[in-house]
Amino acid sequence: MCICFFDDGPIDKDPRANRANMFKVGMKDAACKDPAICCAGFFCNPCMGCYMRKKVLGGNLDLYMCCQGYYDGLCCGHPKAGSYGDTGNPACMACEMICCPGWATSATRQYVMDQYDLASDPCDRQIIRFNNFMQLLSCICYTLALFEPSCRDLAELVGCIADLVFYATAACMFAQVNYELTEREKGGTLGAPRGGGQAMTAPKHLQMANRGQAYPAAAPVQGQYMQQPRTFPVVIPQGAYAGSQLTVTAPDGRQMAFVVPPGSAPGQQVLCPY
């Protein structure tokens, strides 16, 4: 019941605060709805992190980039996602899950929220804030123990509780996201990764040739899908708006012109064919 002491409102300027759609299950009930994923996420966080990231990307690792671009520039000198060989790189994904499990788990959940225009419920926010509080309290206790040896046992105890809270919170996030995707798949509302994907034709406003070259496409065959162009994710930068022309680098190193599609906003991820 400790979470009751934490604010359940959205943060200031939260772009997801006023969305009408909600997750099909809140984090507090996710463990009961999907216990297998929850247990796996608790006892093997990095493995479940890799599994869930691949699942939300529709199994297409070409769409992967570090934290899906959600935390660009958050740390001093942190390079922009997709600019240092991380795009489609499973080794980078494994490093992300092991070294930054908090950011990695949140990025996977945020990706699904943006794909389906979802908001989190108030209890979700309380759980996340309680976890953040415990991590901060643990850091304070360990810092205090450096100067006061008698506080070391307390620091170890608080650190252990903080770890358990973190892994439990991450496990509930995994279960919540997996249940959302599973239910959407059952209901036929499971969409391709945001902006289109290789399983569907890209929208007209994303049909862009590479500097005069036509897209590779096979002739239509009855009963089969047309061959779709490869795509890579592009995060709309701050200051850009619909119709703005950007210069992006494809995974093969080529420079491409890219026009921001209608309805896109800064920070949103869309797919660019190449």
Side-chain angles (χ1 to χ4, degrees):
M1 298 301 294
C2 295
I3 64 172
C4 295
F5 296 101
F6 295 87
D7 183 24
D8 63 358
I11 61 174
D12 292 339
K13 299 180 180 180
D14 182 1
R16 305 175 182 88
N18 298 318
R19 292 176 177 175
N21 301 322
M22 305 288 287
F23 276 104
K24 298 185 183 300
V25 63
M27 287 173 58
K28 66 181 179 64
D29 299 318
C32 295
K33 292 291 187 179
D34 201 336
I37 292 294
C38 187
C39 289
F42 183 86
F43 291 106
C44 192
N45 180 276
C47 295
M48 183 52 60
C50 291
Y51 170 78
M52 288 306 305
R53 182 65 62 82
K54 183 176 180 179
K55 184 170 183 176
V56 303
L57 295 176
N60 183 6
L61 283 183
D62 288 341
L63 304 181
Y64 168 78
M65 62 170 58
C66 183
C67 294
Q68 298 308 122
Y70 282 109
Y71 300 107
D72 285 352
L74 189 59
C75 288
C76 181
H78 185 275
K80 183 178 180 181
S83 64
Y84 52 96
D86 57 316
T87 302
N89 191 330
C92 287
M93 181 168 68
C95 289
E96 176 192 333
M97 303 303 164
I98 294 172
C99 300
C100 306
W103 285 0
T105 306
S106 294
T108 299
R109 182 170 179 267
Q110 287 174 304
Y111 188 88
V112 172
M113 293 175 72
D114 289 343
Q115 183 176 359
Y116 297 109
D117 290 324
L118 303 176
S120 42
D121 65 37
C123 190
D124 286 1
R125 302 184 192 116
Q126 289 180 309
I127 293 173
I128 293 171
R129 283 170 176 150
F130 173 60
N131 169 70
N132 293 345
F133 168 78
M134 289 303 304
Q135 308 314 312
L136 179 60
L137 180 62
S138 177
C139 290
I140 293 174
C141 289
Y142 275 115
T143 302
L144 182 62
L146 293 175
F147 302 97
E148 180 53 59
S150 63
C151 294
R152 290 176 182 173
D153 288 341
L154 175 63
E156 290 291 339
L157 176 61
V158 174
C160 181
I161 295 174
D163 288 344
L164 292 175
V165 170
F166 171 81
Y167 286 116
T169 302
C172 289
M173 283 187 177
F174 287 139
Q176 181 186 49
V177 169
N178 190 70
Y179 185 79
E180 182 75 23
L181 298 181
T182 300
E183 290 300 303
R184 285 183 175 276
E185 185 175 13
K186 290 179 182 178
T189 59
L190 182 65
R194 194 171 183 86
Q198 295 189 23
M200 65 190 309
T201 304
K204 288 296 182 181
H205 58 261
L206 292 180
Q207 293 284 348
M208 297 176 53
N210 180 25
R211 299 205 173 186
Q213 295 181 356
Y215 294 123
V221 179
Q222 185 176 2
Q224 297 181 359
Y225 290 106
M226 294 180 60
Q227 180 181 348
Q228 301 299 321
R230 294 178 297 172
T231 59
F232 67 97
V234 174
V235 178
I236 307 301
Q238 293 295 326
Y241 53 88
S244 298
Q245 182 166 310
L246 309 175
T247 300
V248 297
T249 303
D252 58 10
R254 290 179 294 172
Q255 296 291 314
M256 299 177 55
F258 175 75
V259 177
V260 178
S264 300
Q268 180 180 326
Q269 186 181 93
V270 297
L271 299 182
C272 177
Y274 72 105

